Amino acid sequence: MEYTLKPNSLFIDKISLVNGLQKGEDLAFALLYNQYADLLFSYGTGLGFAKEDIEDSMQEIFCNLYLNHSKIHEINNLKFYLLRALKNRLLNVSQASRTQNFIDMENVDFYTEVTVLDDLIDAEDRTAIQKKIQSYLDELTGRQREAIYLRYIEDLDYEEIAELMNMTVPSVRNLVFKAIKQLRNSKIPSLMWPILFSIVKI
Amino acid sequence: MQTKHTSENYVDFQAKDFATDVYFLQWCLLPDEENAEFWREFCEQHPEKKETVQRAIQLVRSVHLNDRSFSEADKRNNTLRLLGFIRQQKRKEKRRRIYAAWGVAASVLVAVLFLTIPRFVSSDSFVASSGYVIPDDRNIQLVSGDNQVISMSDSSEVVYDHQGDVKINGEQHDLNNQKEVVESNQKLVVPKGKRASIRLSDGTLVWINSNSVIEFPAVFTGTERHLKVNGEVYLEVAKDPGKPFIVSTPQFNVEVLGTKFGVSSSVDKSQYVVLVEGSVQVHTPSGQTARLKPSQLFGIDKGGTFIQEVDPYRYVSWKDNVLYFNGESLPEVLVRLSQQYAVDVICNIDVCQVQFYGKLILEEHIENVLDNIAVLSPIKYETRNNKIIISLK
């Protein structure tokens, strides 16, 4: 498949990418897809979905985005928009197929798998750090992990996290605050947490 | 209460010890006032540990959660699936458009009325230049106040002295010998694929990128210095506190307080002001004002205006005949080049995933630039009917 790159379509920055999307230029959509594919895949994985489900949902989201491309400028934060659309889409999928039984949004577990990307330390230390951080995160609830993931990895603000997680801003802050407190106390090993909130891989 | 978090506990820590310490992790993952204060104090009390702490921060920053990525093949297939849908949709739209032509015509009329009225009301400096059509002439043209036209080659140096006399490549041109002509506007027209630079009568330097027009008086006689821009320029404004320098574009005005900055106002390209040095104030027709700090970009898109921190040199490097890229995809690089050289470029979907880092010298011909790219990346090109076709090697 080939493109003609028109001299008037410049995607060197966010502004012009949005302008390209607005005009419905297919190259802009291809670039947007490639830019956010891994990020959306990571989030979908965290929500516990299989690769095929995530891919299909992403396809639908981007097709819908194209169908409404004349309104794209109304989207303030494309990343947030895509993450929210993916979550809604995936939850719909899980409700339709009975194989996964999420009862409601509040009970979605969220997995976090820790990877240390720094390659200047030796493998042994890297694994040690990975394990340690993993064990801290494992002690949190799924929702706390999701909030931390969205705040720390996706760099969303509290308002956006609140909307994505269907909560109020104060309760997100509270959730994160509790997570902090819990991490703080985790030096004293609590047997309760891992049992109550163990990670169940689907 | 938090007795275990005393500085002494940490004096023997190595970077990896910090990176596995829960209190340190909290600060990195979820900073709050309390833990930020603790670690700031710790670094003050133990300056010898500062480097170790820095290294530990670096380590934790490299921690990624759910680091998943699609394979290149998956991404390619998904992108093709998406593009297939978009193209199918476009064909449907085309068919529908024939029937809806009358409806569209009516709505365009309404939109035009909407857009033009505010411009007339809010500022008298938005005139003529917005409607100027750049001729298809291959040469750069200087149009004087009495409509004399001088054509010149690519690397010409145009200098106006303080009396409004023009020198092109050191050669005097009698353009503005009548008094009324001196005050009227001069025009420099740079067609697609060319670049030019000019020194105005006050010493201000202007670089003009391809497909752009500027208008200016031979000498600045009024209380303000006015420059009209339609297109992309980079300016180094000569200081004159008594005479503010104002750049007007169809979309906004920039008030300069002695400075280096880039402006782009093409309707087709991005519309932005990016500040390299000094200070500028941007005024939009809707009455908005924004003062920029160095490295800030003021942009306009269909959603309105915004300010963003950027690396300003990336936006103005064309004046030095180079373009800088930092992880842009190859199509973005090619679009930039097709704009600069006014050539159509056709590329294959595969090149979407090729990323580009570093600087690219804008040689005289686009072929030379593409040769350089072909050395660095897995692409090849061919020329067919004045179009350049790019594909993977």
Side-chain angles (χ1 to χ4, degrees), chain A residues 168-184:
Chain A
T168 61
V169 175
S171 45
V172 173
R173 284 187 192 277
N174 198 22
L175 190 75
V176 172
F177 177 74
K178 270 193 197 150
I180 295 179
K181 239 175 113 181
Q182 223 162 294
L183 285 177
R184 203 166 287 175

Side-chain angles (χ1 to χ4, degrees), chain A residues 1-16 18-19 22-27 29-31 33-34 37-38 41-42 45-46 51 54-56 58-59 62-63 66-67 69 73 110-118 120-121 125 128-129 132-133 136-137 148-149 151-153 176 179-180 183-184 186-188 201, chain B residues 2 4-5 16 19-23 25-26 28-30 32 34-35 55 58-70 74-75 78-87 89-90 93 268-270 297 299-303 306 308 314-315 325 328-329 331-332 334-336 338-339 343-349 352-353 389:
Chain A
M1 197 178 278
E2 285 184 343
Y3 297 109
T4 302
L5 297 174
K6 296 182 203 109
N8 61 1
S9 52
L10 178 76
F11 303 116
I12 191 135
D13 47 42
K14 198 192 91 210
I15 326 151
S16 29
V18 172
N19 283 341
Q22 175 94 18
K23 286 187 214 149
E25 286 176 30
D26 41 9
L27 180 59
F29 280 86
L31 290 173
Y33 188 92
N34 281 283
D38 292 340
F41 186 27
S42 298
T45 309
K51 178 170 162 260
I54 300 169
E55 274 180 314
D56 288 344
M58 281 168 64
Q59 195 68 27
F62 280 87
C63 289
Y66 174 76
L67 291 175
H69 67 255
H73 67 267
F110 194 87
Y111 316 104
T112 44
E113 192 189 279
V114 179
T115 325
V116 176
L117 300 174
D118 193 303
L120 293 175
I121 49 165
D125 287 343
I129 295 172
K132 199 90 182 222
I133 297 177
Y136 292 142
L137 289 170
I148 288 178
Y149 175 85
R151 181 84 196 93
Y152 175 70
I153 297 292
V176 172
I180 295 179
L183 285 177
R184 203 166 287 175
S186 64
K187 278 240 160 135
I188 309 139
K201 283 256 178 195
Chain B
Q2 297 294 330
K4 56 184 183 241
H5 300 302
K16 65 167 188 187
T20 49
D21 179 76
V22 71
Y23 197 62
L25 281 171
Q26 266 171 36
C28 293
L29 290 167
L30 300 160
D32 62 21
E34 190 196 317
N35 56 29
R55 175 73 188 114
Q58 210 181 8
L59 260 173
V60 178
R61 289 258 160 85
S62 86
V63 168
H64 208 279
L65 304 178
N66 300 346
D67 184 40
R68 293 298 166 90
S69 48
F70 285 119
D74 278 341
K75 257 192 217 167
N78 288 335
T79 313
L80 283 175
R81 222 166 115 196
L82 175 65
L83 287 176
F85 173 84
I86 292 177
R87 287 185 183 182
Q89 214 58 38
K90 277 193 171 160
E93 274 166 38
D268 290 338
K269 286 198 245 171
S270 316
L297 174 134
I300 299 186
D301 59 17
K302 293 213 166 71
F306 57 90
Q308 208 183 324
R314 272 182 51 196
Y315 290 81
F325 295 100
E328 275 86 354
S329 67
E332 295 172 85
L334 294 172
V335 169
R336 231 9 244 249
S338 94
Q339 213 170 49
V343 190
D344 282 342
V345 178
I346 295 173
C347 77
N348 194 287
I349 168 80
C352 246
Q353 281 147 23
I389 293 141

Side-chain angles (χ1 to χ4, degrees), chain A residues 141-199:
Chain A
T141 67
R143 286 177 76 68
Q144 283 172 331
R145 275 195 294 274
E146 186 175 355
I148 288 178
Y149 175 85
L150 294 170
R151 181 84 196 93
Y152 175 70
I153 297 292
E154 306 289 12
D155 200 27
L156 299 185
D157 57 38
Y158 282 112
E159 282 74 19
E160 290 165 333
I161 297 172
E163 205 186 322
L164 204 54
M165 296 184 66
N166 206 12
M167 296 171 86
T168 61
V169 175
S171 45
V172 173
R173 284 187 192 277
N174 198 22
L175 190 75
V176 172
F177 177 74
K178 270 193 197 150
I180 295 179
K181 239 175 113 181
Q182 223 162 294
L183 285 177
R184 203 166 287 175
N185 297 333
S186 64
K187 278 240 160 135
I188 309 139
S190 152
L191 288 172
M192 292 291 279
W193 288 113
I195 296 164
L196 280 176
F197 299 99
S198 58
I199 304 167

